[in-house]
Amino acid sequence: MVSTTHFLVLGAILFTIGTVGVIIRRNVIIMFMCVELMLNAVNLTFLAFARHFNQIDAQIFVFFVMTVAAAEAAVGLALIVQLARRTNSVDIDQADTMKW
Amino acid sequence: MEELVFYLCAAVAIVAALTVIVQRSAVYSALALIACFCSVAILFFQLGAEFIAAIQVIVYAGAIMVLFLFVVMLIDPESDAFASNRLKKLTITAVPLAAILGLLLLWAVPAVGPNGSDSSHAATGGIEPLARSLFSDYLLPFEVTSILILVAVLGAMVLAKRTD
């Protein structure tokens, strides 16, 4: 059986990669994808602990995280579409005005 | 055998995640992210969370990423994938920050201690205990989630509507 530590280390690595992506990329869509990647790393950590402590509650929590992530993706992508329509770009640096 | 599967999936997940952040084209990033989600789903399966693994493939790799690909193809972000003049400065900031974050996370890992319960899959396996818990102890959050999704659908419709 693969130990819990292995899964936690992988979760930490994936979370860090997601953070780096959010910092270095200026494309809104890719920044959003990196946020999804970070959520997924956290889900992996949750499930590792679910097995470690033999508790079902962490799986329920992952279920809710996924549901919220789906809702967030729908609203976020609608915002991105609207932003791209108004500024004609998906560069986050272009979105620096409060009013168009 | 289990170790082999773990290391293979972990390697695929890390390489795919790196591809997501260095790839210039948003379409390739989305495809790499699908690969990452699928290999993480295999790891979920290995952790005894079969239902969550299936949801991961159906909802994440299926629905959410298809939505991403739709938006990418709808608004054509190829024009400015990188703001190159700021990239170097940002990378200089990002690398130390990421190193600190990674070290902090990895430093927290050994605090877990040895594997507590080797009687694996006693409470975690299968869908039945999950459903039992979801529809008894967590019934109220479950219902609140449905309202959240309703609000999200309405919000997405209002936001994406063409105003002019």
Side-chain angles (χ1 to χ4, degrees), chain A residues 1 4-6 8 10 19-20 25 32 36 40 47 51-52 54 56-57 59 64 66-67 69 82 85 93, chain B residues 7 21 23 37 43-44 56 60 68 77 80 86-87 98 101 109 112 114-115 117 123-124 138 145 159-160:
Chain A
M1 197 169 95
T4 307
T5 314
H6 283 75
L8 295 183
L10 179 64
T19 315
V20 173
R25 294 306 297 260
F32 202 39
E36 300 287 335
N40 216 45
L47 289 179
R51 191 189 64 169
H52 188 83
N54 226 346
I56 198 79
D57 303 72
Q59 290 196 22
F64 285 129
M66 282 183 172
T67 322
Q82 199 58 252
R85 246 185 228 152
D93 288 338
Chain B
Y7 284 118
I21 68 168
Q23 187 62 247
F37 283 164
L43 294 176
F44 285 178
Q56 165 94 356
Y60 256 117
F68 266 97
D80 44 6
R86 286 200 52 185
L87 184 70
L101 178 67
V109 166
V112 176
N115 237 352
S117 51
T124 52
Y138 294 94
T145 307
L159 282 171

Side-chain angles (χ1 to χ4, degrees), chain A residues 80-95:
Chain A
I80 290 174
V81 168
Q82 199 58 252
L83 181 77
R85 246 185 228 152
R86 287 174 189 244
T87 61
N88 282 324
S89 108
V90 286
D91 192 337
I92 194 75
D93 288 338
Q94 303 294 315

